[in-house]
Amino acid sequence: MQSIRTARYSDVLKLPRVPGTFGAALIGRGAYALVFLPLFYAVADATGSVGLAGIAVGLYGAGASFLAPVRAWFIDRFGARRVLSVLVGIFGGTLAAIGLSALLSPNGALLIVLAAVAGVFAPPLGPTMRVAWGRLTPSSDLLKKALSFDAVIEELLYLGGPAAAGIALAFVAPGPVLLVPAGLVLVGGLLFVATRTVGGMEPRPRAAAGSRRDRPLVLDPRFIRVLMPALVAGAIAGSISISVPVVVSGAGGPAAAGIALGIFAGGSALGGLVFGALRVPGSPIRQLLVLTTALVTISSLIALVTGAVSVTIVLTAAGLFFSPVMIVAYFAAHQAGGEHRQNSATTWVNTSHNIGASLGSALAGIIIQAASVPAATIGIVAGAAVLLIASAALGRGSTTARR
């Protein structure tokens, strides 16, 4: 497959309004990678129960992930600046309340409730920034470059964030550590909201809201074809997070597992950079099917390899295709969302990935407990193959209908 180089990443960063808009969003988005560890330890310290701490983190994560399409609908319907201002204020204030409560008067029940509230009001700074890229870039080539760069930076945030939080927790109590993401999301989020780009994301016209075209995107077969690869990519990532620690348990244990999973994320970041630097032929849907098939095929080798070195090689190769799948899915979502539903479209891509990751993790754990890692890998890969075949079939059906 022949490819040619496109514009440089520096060309994207030199575009008008990009440094201020992206910089503000980046500050706010940096908060998310810092929340999970101090929240877990804050609840564990207050209750003396790891189980309750896990419930608190689970409630936070469930609210942040599964209610994201609802928050995106409000943004599209009532305007980004108005809705994001409310979400940023409540989310940042709730994180600060958790931190202060954990520091001054720890109460486990209160912390769990506040964790759930924080998840419900988590502002979708990442998806909104991806919508903003569509307004900041004058061509599809630059948009692809911007989305690639955005995906790589997000990978790096989630690589460095937990490590930074872990180091901080070695010296400081969880309460004060939680004040850091609270401050980041308030400062970065409000600066992002104040930008002209976000201000230009106006409410959807009432006429559009009442039209037949306003039916939910997830009922559109063409949009489902965009979501299925993101769902598959999430399922693969979720299953890997469970399978890898089991595979390397006898060859380095947790340290080897952490390194291997970190290399998967590093391979994903590298894959995003390389993919963004190339012009790949074919429609976004065709690219999604090819990239996701490659991700699934390479990941299936986890069923065959043993030892930390072999697993790491497989994860590096698989990681190269993970970010490109998500990049193309976001790019396709921009087109599917039209002028007034881009926040909903890009957020559904995120949600599909998160649903896939949750299902992949749960299924991998259940099957590994009952059988083995190879059985779990084969089962999830088979399910992924079925979804990809269904996605291709939806494409043929849509083509026939248009004719």
Side-chain angles (χ1 to χ4, degrees):
M1 183 181 295
Q2 189 176 6
S3 302
I4 60 173
R5 291 197 171 274
T6 60
R8 297 170 298 178
Y9 286 104
S10 58
D11 295 331
V12 172
L13 298 177
K14 292 176 183 177
L15 291 171
R17 293 186 285 158
V18 163
T21 305
F22 183 58
L26 199 59
I27 293 171
R29 292 163 72 181
Y32 288 108
L34 299 172
V35 171
F36 286 95
L37 275 180
L39 175 60
F40 176 86
Y41 285 110
V43 178
D45 290 348
T47 63
S49 169
V50 172
L52 289 175
I55 289 173
V57 172
L59 288 173
Y60 166 78
S65 299
F66 300 126
L67 292 179
V70 178
R71 294 188 291 268
W73 182 88
F74 275 100
I75 289 174
D76 284 334
R77 180 65 184 86
F78 298 104
R81 178 167 286 171
R82 182 190 307 177
V83 177
L84 272 181
S85 297
V86 173
L87 293 176
V88 165
I90 295 177
F91 181 71
T94 304
L95 287 184
I98 295 173
L100 292 174
S101 176
L103 179 64
L104 302 175
S105 56
N107 181 297
L110 176 62
L111 293 179
I112 292 172
V113 171
L114 289 175
V117 171
V120 169
F121 290 96
L125 298 179
T128 306
M129 183 62 225
R130 284 185 275 270
V131 174
W133 281 123
R135 296 168 180 265
L136 292 168
T137 52
S139 69
S140 60
D141 282 346
L142 284 170
L143 174 58
K144 177 192 168 187
K145 184 78 64 178
L147 292 173
S148 301
F149 183 71
D150 189 283
V152 170
I153 294 299
E154 188 163 77
E155 289 285 353
L156 295 178
L157 284 177
Y158 280 92
L159 269 175
I167 293 171
L169 288 168
F171 301 97
V172 185
V177 175
L178 276 167
L179 296 179
V180 175
L184 286 175
V185 78
L186 284 171
V187 172
L190 293 177
L191 286 174
F192 181 58
V193 166
T195 61
R196 287 174 52 195
T197 307
V198 174
M201 298 179 191
E202 298 177 349
R204 183 171 51 197
R206 289 187 179 275
S211 66
R212 291 184 178 179
R213 294 183 180 181
D214 192 49
R215 69 172 182 169
L217 281 168
V218 289
L219 299 180
D220 186 342
R222 290 172 296 180
F223 188 60
I224 293 175
R225 295 179 68 202
V226 176
L227 299 184
M228 280 188 176
L231 181 72
V232 168
I236 294 298
S239 67
I240 283 174
S241 68
I242 303 299
S243 300
V244 168
V246 177
V247 173
V248 302
S249 59
I259 292 172
L261 292 174
I263 287 176
F264 176 75
S268 177
L270 178 60
L273 282 174
V274 172
F275 183 80
L278 300 172
R279 178 176 295 166
V280 182
S283 67
I285 295 298
R286 185 181 296 275
Q287 291 178 24
L288 276 174
L289 289 174
V290 171
L291 291 168
T292 311
T293 300
L295 172 64
V296 170
T297 302
I298 296 173
S299 300
S300 68
L301 297 177
I302 294 291
L304 304 177
V305 299
T306 57
V309 174
S310 299
V311 170
T312 299
I313 293 172
V314 171
L315 290 179
T316 302
L320 293 173
F321 293 92
F322 181 79
S323 272
V325 170
M326 300 305 296
I327 290 165
V328 180
Y330 288 128
F331 185 84
H334 269 269
Q335 299 175 336
E339 185 178 355
H340 300 294
R341 295 192 293 178
Q342 289 188 351
N343 277 285
S344 295
T346 56
T347 301
W348 267 114
V349 173
N350 261 19
T351 302
S352 297
H353 168 271
N354 293 335
I355 291 172
S358 298
L359 291 173
S361 299
L363 288 173
I366 292 169
I367 299 174
I368 290 171
Q369 181 68 35
S372 63
V373 169
T377 302
I378 292 170
I380 291 171
V381 165
V386 169
L387 287 176
L388 291 177
I389 292 170
S391 179
L394 279 174
R396 287 195 294 270
S398 298
T399 302
T400 301
R402 282 195 299 270
R403 289 177 181 173

